[in-house]
Amino acid sequence: MKRFLALWAFLLAFNSMAAAFVYKDNVVASFYAEAFHGKKTSNGELFSMYSMTCAHKMLPFNTVIKVTNLSNGKTAQVRVNDRGPFVKNREIDLSKAAAIQLDMLKSGTTKVRLEIVSLGPYNKLSQQTGKKACAKMGIKYYEISIPKNEDTKALSHIQQIKSVPRDSNKKWDIQIGAFSSKENATNFAKQAKKQGISSVVLQITSTSVKVAVKNIKTKDLNSKIDELARKGYTDLVVKERK
C-alpha cells in the first residue's frame, strides 16, 4: 500500500504539470461523504471522504481529472475509483475533500469543467462497471482516447478557438475538413455521421468542398468543439452562420 501511495503521489505531481484535455464543460458535480465513508467503491477500494477521489459512470478507474468550479474558478484534481452519480443530469460525484477544495459544500452541487490529466486503462473491471452504470442510467457507454503528447499543437489550436469571444445571439458552423474532390468530402462526411456527429453538411465553393457541422448556438459551441476533438477532429475552423 505504501508503495502504491508513493507511486500515486509521483504520478499526480507529474501529471499536474501536463496539459489537461477538456472532457466536458458546464456539467453538474455533486459530492458524497459520511454515509459512504469506509464502504467499498466500485474498483474495490474503501471510500474515504478525506481522499481526492470521485465517482464517474464511464471513465476508466485511475483516470485523473482536473475539476474547475465555474462559479468561483477554484480547482481540484481527483482520481476515479467509483461509479456514479446515479442521479439524472449529474456528471461527477466528488469526495468531501474535493468538494471543500472547490468550495461547494453549501450549494451541494455546482457547474464544473472536467479536464482529463491522465486517462486510466480500459481494463475489464473499468469496462464492466462502466457499462453497468451507464445502463442503469439509460445512457450510452463509450470509450475515449486522448491525443498523444506530440499532438499538443492541435490541442493548443482547440483551446485557442474556444477562447475567442463570440456574439451570443449568432449561430456558427464548424468546418471539420476541406477537399478538392466532392467524392472524398462525401466519404469524410459519411464517416463523421457514423461516429454520431449530427448536422454534417457539404459546403461547395469554387475552389473546394468543405465538410462542416452547421447551425450551432454560441452557448453550445465549445461543447461541440470538445466533442469533435474527442472524436479526432482537431483541424477545426469556426465560421459565422450566414
Side-chain angles (χ1 to χ4, degrees):
M1 178 58 73
K2 289 182 179 179
R3 184 179 178 183
F4 169 79
L5 291 175
L7 177 60
W8 172 245
F10 169 78
L11 290 174
L12 192 60
F14 175 81
N15 283 314
S16 66
M17 298 182 290
F21 175 77
V22 177
Y23 172 60
K24 288 193 178 181
D25 206 359
N26 201 36
V27 292
V28 178
S30 52
F31 73 93
Y32 60 138
E34 285 83 0
F36 297 90
H37 186 69
K39 295 184 178 180
K40 188 174 288 189
T41 63
S42 297
N43 76 340
E45 297 177 16
L46 296 181
F47 173 67
S48 171
M49 64 182 180
Y50 305 114
S51 298
M52 298 296 285
T53 58
C54 69
H56 191 273
K57 286 180 280 292
M58 67 178 76
L59 287 174
F61 295 132
N62 292 325
T63 294
V64 179
I65 306 172
K66 177 184 175 183
V67 184
T68 302
N69 186 340
L70 297 180
S71 69
N72 58 25
K74 294 185 177 182
T75 65
Q77 282 197 18
V78 294
R79 176 176 61 93
V80 179
N81 71 342
D82 207 358
R83 292 299 178 216
F86 297 110
V87 177
K88 188 177 180 181
N89 297 325
R90 292 188 188 179
E91 180 68 24
I92 190 170
D93 225 357
L94 304 167
S95 65
K96 187 175 183 179
I100 291 172
Q101 190 163 319
L102 293 173
D103 194 16
M104 57 172 285
L105 284 184
K106 288 184 179 179
S107 61
T109 61
T110 191
K111 291 290 186 71
V112 297
R113 177 184 302 113
L114 303 181
E115 298 172 84
I116 297 178
V117 177
S118 65
L119 189 68
Y122 278 107
N123 55 31
K124 186 176 181 180
L125 182 61
S126 284
Q127 292 171 325
Q128 286 180 339
T129 56
K131 290 176 181 178
K132 185 176 179 180
C134 289
K136 183 175 181 178
M137 294 303 295
I139 62 176
K140 184 179 179 180
Y141 171 85
Y142 62 89
E143 297 179 3
I144 67 168
S145 58
I146 304 299
K148 297 178 181 179
N149 291 336
E150 58 265 27
D151 204 22
T152 53
K153 184 176 180 181
L155 283 176
S156 177
H157 172 65
I158 293 297
Q159 296 299 330
Q160 184 178 4
I161 63 175
K162 285 174 61 180
S163 66
V164 175
R166 293 185 173 89
D167 189 330
S168 61
N169 296 316
K170 293 183 178 180
K171 293 186 178 181
W172 310 87
D173 293 348
I174 304 176
Q175 178 184 309
I176 60 175
F179 302 85
S180 57
S181 160
K182 185 177 180 181
E183 181 181 1
N184 289 341
T186 300
N187 291 335
F188 188 81
K190 287 180 179 178
Q191 182 60 39
K193 291 176 181 177
K194 287 181 180 179
Q195 289 180 273
I197 301 171
S198 58
S199 302
V200 178
V201 296
L202 299 185
Q203 297 175 334
I204 301 174
T205 70
S206 59
T207 57
S208 64
V209 182
K210 298 173 182 179
V211 182
V213 180
K214 69 172 185 176
N215 207 32
I216 305 164
K217 295 179 181 179
T218 301
K219 69 180 181 68
D220 300 325
L221 186 61
N222 281 355
S223 60
K224 178 59 70 172
I225 291 171
D226 288 338
E227 176 194 345
L228 293 170
R230 288 197 300 271
K231 294 179 178 179
Y233 299 90
T234 55
D235 189 16
L236 307 177
V237 180
V238 176
K239 297 180 180 181
E240 182 182 340
R241 180 76 177 167
K242 303 297 184 182

